[in-house]
Amino acid sequence: MKKFKKIYVEITNICNLNCKFCSKDNKPKKEMTLLEFEHILKQIDKYTDYLYLHVKGEPLLHSKIGQIIDLCKKYNKQINITTNGTLIKQKLNILKNVRQVNISLHSLIDKSQLKSILECGSYLSNRGVQVVYRFWTNHNSDLIKTVLNYYNYKKEISDNMKLKNNLYLNKSFQFIWPSLNSNIISKKGYCYGLNKHIGILVDGTVIPCCLDSSGIINLGNIYQEDLNDILNKDKTKKIINGFKNNELVDELCQKCDFRKKVFK
């Protein structure tokens, strides 16, 4: 049986921001019910130990985020959350129970919120939660300086910096969400999708990777099919074998800007 390093589960595709860099789609906005989420946990239980509770959307908006995390604990899953930080102060007691919180500060609109976010990050890291402040490499230089000054960071500036125990600052390239409307970049290449991870959208659609936020590469629906059957479909195996042979089988993979930057 294939075991993944991590599985992305989109517990909600609703967000309280409208960032320019985020992909747009016309998918109905909803959040997973607890019954749907536990069904997924049962399906993926033997496939991974690490859950990332996002693809699109703001996970802390989920009306039952505390119960979602309790269910993860029930199934002994390590929890990672990526958030825009706007709700972190209200959810501190819940977030104490997760493994890692990634805060996308390139999403920050109200700069006056930064001090509060940094205070929350320090609070969580002091309680053993790994906290990562994320920035695009070519943006937010003033914000990055503010973060470094807040933690009195005096070492050399790099793309990955440890500010203190359990607390990091990560700078990464800004990518373009893959779209069928984009030009083909390459028909040759490799990806971690279906190798190290898969994604599950809020409507149950199983996708090869977390960048297919619209479910274009629809491998099946986990509410209607067994995950083992989905992973053993001819369509799924064709994509996996393609990656093994340096072939990008699916059109969306051929047009993926992120894959191009990661696998140069």
Side-chain angles (χ1 to χ4, degrees), residues 239-260:
I239 295 172
I240 294 171
N241 290 330
F243 289 150
K244 288 179 179 178
N245 294 302
N246 201 41
E247 296 283 347
L248 302 177
V249 172
D250 195 273
E251 181 182 358
L252 190 69
C253 301
Q254 297 171 3
K255 297 180 175 182
C256 181
D257 173 76
F258 182 86
R259 193 206 57 74
K260 177 191 71 173

Side-chain angles (χ1 to χ4, degrees), residues 7-214:
I7 293 180
Y8 294 88
V9 180
E10 184 182 68
I11 58 174
T12 179
N13 61 352
I14 301 168
C15 190
N16 57 344
L17 297 182
N18 187 27
C19 301
K20 291 181 179 179
F21 57 77
C22 210
S23 64
K24 312 301 178 188
D25 60 59
N26 296 316
K27 294 177 72 67
K29 301 302 180 184
K30 69 180 294 271
E31 66 176 33
M32 281 184 184
T33 67
L34 293 178
L35 284 175
E36 288 171 335
F37 186 69
E38 186 161 21
H39 172 80
I40 289 173
L41 283 172
K42 291 176 180 177
Q43 286 273 316
I44 68 176
D45 190 29
K46 296 179 181 179
Y47 286 94
T48 192
D49 297 319
Y50 293 88
L51 287 188
Y52 286 60
L53 300 183
H54 65 277
V55 174
K56 291 275 291 296
E58 170 52 55
L60 298 185
L61 274 177
H62 197 289
S63 62
K64 294 181 170 59
I65 182 63
Q67 290 163 276
I68 289 281
I69 291 173
D70 287 343
L71 281 172
C72 291
K73 292 293 186 180
K74 174 182 174 181
Y75 286 85
N76 298 312
K77 300 306 174 192
Q78 297 292 317
I79 312 157
N80 297 263
I81 286 180
T82 294
T83 173
N84 58 39
T86 56
L87 302 173
I88 192 170
K89 188 172 183 179
Q90 299 97 298
K91 306 294 182 179
L92 274 181
N93 285 334
I94 293 171
L95 291 173
K96 286 190 301 184
N97 298 313
V98 309
R99 171 185 173 269
Q100 181 169 317
V101 177
N102 305 312
I103 308 173
S104 298
L105 288 176
H106 44 257
S107 306
L108 193 64
I109 295 175
D110 184 357
K111 295 183 180 180
S112 65
Q113 291 181 316
L114 182 58
K115 182 180 178 182
S116 176
I117 290 173
L118 297 179
E119 290 173 349
C120 292
S122 296
Y123 173 87
L124 291 171
S125 65
N126 287 336
R127 282 152 183 81
V129 179
Q130 292 184 40
V131 177
V132 182
Y133 300 125
R134 288 183 171 176
F135 291 93
W136 299 136
T137 300
N138 56 339
H139 290 285
N140 312 112
S141 57
D142 289 340
L143 286 180
I144 292 173
K145 289 178 182 177
T146 300
V147 175
L148 296 180
N149 288 336
Y150 182 87
Y151 290 103
N152 196 30
Y153 185 84
K154 301 298 184 182
K155 298 179 183 178
E156 183 179 354
I157 295 177
S158 63
D159 287 346
N160 295 286
M161 292 171 274
K162 182 176 182 179
L163 306 178
K164 53 178 285 191
N165 285 341
N166 298 319
L167 210 153
Y168 306 85
L169 188 151
N170 170 259
K171 296 193 296 176
S172 186
F173 59 84
Q174 184 172 350
F175 63 88
I176 299 171
W177 289 81
S179 166
L180 293 179
N181 296 323
S182 302
N183 295 322
I184 290 177
I185 296 171
S186 176
K187 293 185 178 182
K188 297 284 186 180
Y190 174 76
C191 181
Y192 291 143
L194 287 170
N195 178 14
K196 293 189 175 183
H197 64 259
I198 57 170
I200 302 169
L201 298 180
V202 69
D203 63 3
T205 301
V206 177
I207 51 177
C209 78
C210 63
L211 291 180
D212 185 10
S213 60
S214 296

Side-chain angles (χ1 to χ4, degrees), residues 217-232:
I217 310 177
N218 185 340
L219 301 176
N221 193 291
I222 200 165
Y223 299 147
Q224 302 163 7
E225 305 170 74
D226 187 84
L227 181 58
N228 183 65
D229 293 337
I230 293 172
L231 295 176
N232 281 288

